[in-house]
């Protein structure tokens, strides 16, 4: 199903490009700017099975996007500056922000050198448990489990079910099925228990993944000292906030910010909701982020920024730089706002 979805999205973007519709829609839907969303920035891996490939782009693709924005005379600015322009309603010049979720080490090793080439600021949203080396990146653990196994057994609806993972296609199907099942579980504890049991059964070092891939506090101190870098919050544990009680959700938001500020001795004013879609961040989460003083908070709901975005500073939409669509030809489609407009049924704001 995910493969079909990716194919449909690519076909839609190609149709917008070849028809020239993105050029016609640009004046209406390009808005005042965009917040671009990334996760990993690193060279392309050779692995045949990469179900999380959508979460990574190459340094060359990031460079191509920055070159494209420069050609359009778009300002690349920090989230602090975006907040200022939105609150002051200064929309004379189109702008773009770059954001990276989770705090991966490759943001320092591969993204930062590219951003330095352009003098472009960017924000990295850190989950404090990842920086402490005790967080659980379950989607990566699941990829490693399936990559190494020819079959896995999982308790679906209370019944142990054997899932074939012998071939690359079977692995892709299994990952999609397991990913959706894990996210559908009623709570974070149930999801973590399920993935931990699978890791134990298949010999995957779940605890070591954060230490392997994410920057530690010591690394973040040096990284945050770069004038192009802003550090934002991404909760403590990267949990689905909408599935938490209000007390727990507040604790995740406020404590993650406090831990980052204490460790880095820098103010944390910006937030990214983990997962960030409709089933993870909604009206309650937007209000909680505002109530504890975040200047902005970003979702994963697709969309450009418009003047009315100033009224929804803790529900800002982003444009994903998706690893499945790393084609420089599609960059004008992404920056035109046409693709996200079609996705949103031509609504400009999605903050309900």
């Amino acid at each position: 199903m995910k493969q079909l979805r990716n194919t449909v999205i690519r076909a839609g973007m190609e149709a917008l490009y070849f028809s020239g519709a993105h050029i016609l829609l640009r004046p209406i839907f390009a808005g005042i700017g965009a917040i671009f969303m990334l996760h990993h920035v690193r060279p392309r891996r050779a692995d045949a099975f990469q179900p999380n490939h959508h979460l990574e782009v190459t340094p060359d693709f990031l460079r191509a996007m920055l070159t494209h924005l420069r050609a359009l005379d778009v300002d690349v600015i920090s989230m602090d500056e975006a907040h200022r322009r939105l609150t002051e309603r200064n929309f004379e010049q189109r702008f773009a922000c770059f954001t990276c979720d989770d705090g991966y080490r490759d943001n320092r090793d591969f993204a930062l050198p590219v951003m330095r080439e352009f003098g472009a600021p960017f924000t990295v949203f850190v989950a404090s448990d990842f920086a402490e080396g005790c967080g659980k990146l379950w989607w990566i653990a699941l990829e490693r489990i399936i990559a190494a196994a020819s079959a896995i057994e999982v308790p679906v609806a209370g019944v142990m079910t054997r899932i074939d993972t012998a071939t690359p296609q079977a692995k892709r199907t299994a990952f999609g099925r397991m990913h959706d099942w894990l996210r559908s579980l009623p709570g974070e504890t149930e999801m973590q228990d399920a993935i931990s049991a699978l890791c134990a059964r298949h010999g995957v070092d779940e605890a070591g993944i954060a230490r392997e891939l994410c920057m530690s506090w010591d690394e973040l101190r040096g990284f945050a000292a770069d004038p192009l870098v802003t550090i934002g919050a991404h909760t403590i544990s990267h949990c689905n906030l909408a599935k938490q009680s209000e007390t727990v959700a507040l604790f995740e938001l406020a404590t993650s910010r406090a831990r980052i500020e204490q460790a880095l001795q820098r103010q944390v004013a910006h937030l990214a909701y983990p997962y960030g879609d409709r089933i993870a961040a909604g009206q309650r989460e937007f209000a909680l982020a505002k109530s504890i003083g975040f200047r902005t908070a970003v979702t994963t709901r697709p969309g450009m920024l418009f003047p009315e975005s100033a009224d929804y500073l803790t529900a800002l939409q982003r444009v994903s730089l998706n690893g499945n669509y790393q084609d420089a030809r599609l960059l004008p489609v992404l920056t035109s706002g046409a693709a996200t407009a079609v996705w949103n049924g031509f609504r400009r704001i999605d903050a309900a």
Side-chain angles (χ1 to χ4, degrees), residues 10 18 23 32 38 50 62 65 113 134 141 174 221 232 234 239 246 259 268 285 288 302 346:
R10 174 173 278 280
F18 284 113
I23 298 171
I32 59 173
L38 304 101
Q50 298 187 44
L62 176 58
M65 173 55 91
C134 61
R221 288 185 192 98
H234 202 35
C239 65
E246 184 169 317
R259 288 181 181 176
V268 174
E285 289 68 46
L288 291 177
F346 297 99

Side-chain angles (χ1 to χ4, degrees), residues 65 101 109-110 128 139 153-155 163 224 231-232 271 293 314 334 352:
M65 173 55 91
D101 291 7
D109 296 344
F110 295 105
S128 59
W139 56 97
E153 289 190 347
V154 293
I163 299 177
I231 301 297
L271 168 74
T314 56
L334 287 174

Side-chain angles (χ1 to χ4, degrees), residues 37 64 75 106 111 162 168 189 203 231 242 264 270 297 316-317 322 331 338:
M37 174 178 65
D75 287 347
D106 55 59
R162 186 180 187 277
T189 300
I231 301 297
L264 304 185
H270 309 284
L316 295 174
Q317 296 157 225
N322 187 304
L331 294 178

Side-chain angles (χ1 to χ4, degrees), residues 47-264:
D47 310 57
F49 175 60
Q50 298 187 44
N52 290 306
H53 178 59
H54 63 292
L55 298 177
E56 56 187 88
V57 301
T58 66
D60 281 346
F61 184 70
L62 176 58
R63 186 177 289 110
M65 173 55 91
L66 286 160
T67 301
H68 173 66
L69 291 172
R70 178 172 285 178
L72 292 176
D73 195 29
V74 172
D75 287 347
V76 179
I77 62 174
S78 67
M79 287 300 297
D80 283 336
E81 176 63 10
H83 174 263
R84 185 190 70 79
R85 293 191 188 189
L86 286 166
T87 53
E88 294 180 4
R89 299 188 179 271
N90 176 3
F91 308 136
E92 294 177 4
Q93 178 78 12
R94 290 192 67 229
F95 63 86
C97 300
F98 283 79
T99 61
C100 300
D101 291 7
D102 300 337
Y104 296 111
R105 191 171 289 111
D106 55 59
N107 295 171
R108 178 198 67 188
D109 296 344
F110 295 105
L112 179 56
V114 175
M115 303 306 276
R116 282 174 173 163
E117 290 176 27
F118 292 83
F122 67 121
T123 297
V124 174
F125 294 107
V126 172
S128 59
D129 274 359
F130 295 173
E132 290 172 13
C134 61
K136 296 183 177 181
L137 289 80
W138 64 267
W139 56 97
I140 297 174
L142 181 62
E143 176 177 339
R144 294 183 178 184
I145 290 164
I146 293 174
S150 58
I152 58 175
E153 289 190 347
V154 293
V156 178
V159 178
M160 288 303 293
T161 304
R162 186 180 187 277
I163 299 177
D164 175 35
T165 57
T167 66
Q169 180 56 51
K171 290 181 187 297
R172 287 190 289 270
T173 301
F175 184 90
R177 181 178 178 186
M178 289 292 299
H179 184 280
D180 292 347
W181 171 65
L182 286 164
R183 283 209 64 191
S184 73
L185 293 174
E188 208 73 19
T189 300
E190 290 87 347
M191 183 177 73
Q192 293 296 350
D193 287 349
I195 199 71
S196 294
L198 282 167
C199 286
R201 195 175 305 136
H202 293 274
V204 170
D205 180 11
E206 181 186 20
I209 293 174
R211 294 191 296 274
E212 174 191 343
L213 296 179
C214 297
M215 285 181 277
S216 66
W217 289 127
D218 282 343
E219 291 172 304
L220 283 165
R221 288 185 192 98
F223 179 64
D226 192 288
L228 294 176
V229 173
T230 298
I231 301 297
H234 202 35
T235 73
I236 300 170
S237 62
H238 198 281
C239 65
N240 182 330
L241 289 169
K243 289 187 175 182
Q244 314 305 314
S245 69
E246 184 169 317
T247 299
V248 170
L250 273 171
F251 181 80
E252 283 274 347
L253 293 171
T255 305
S256 66
R257 180 175 61 183
R259 288 181 181 176
I260 297 168
E261 289 181 338
Q262 181 177 14
L264 304 185

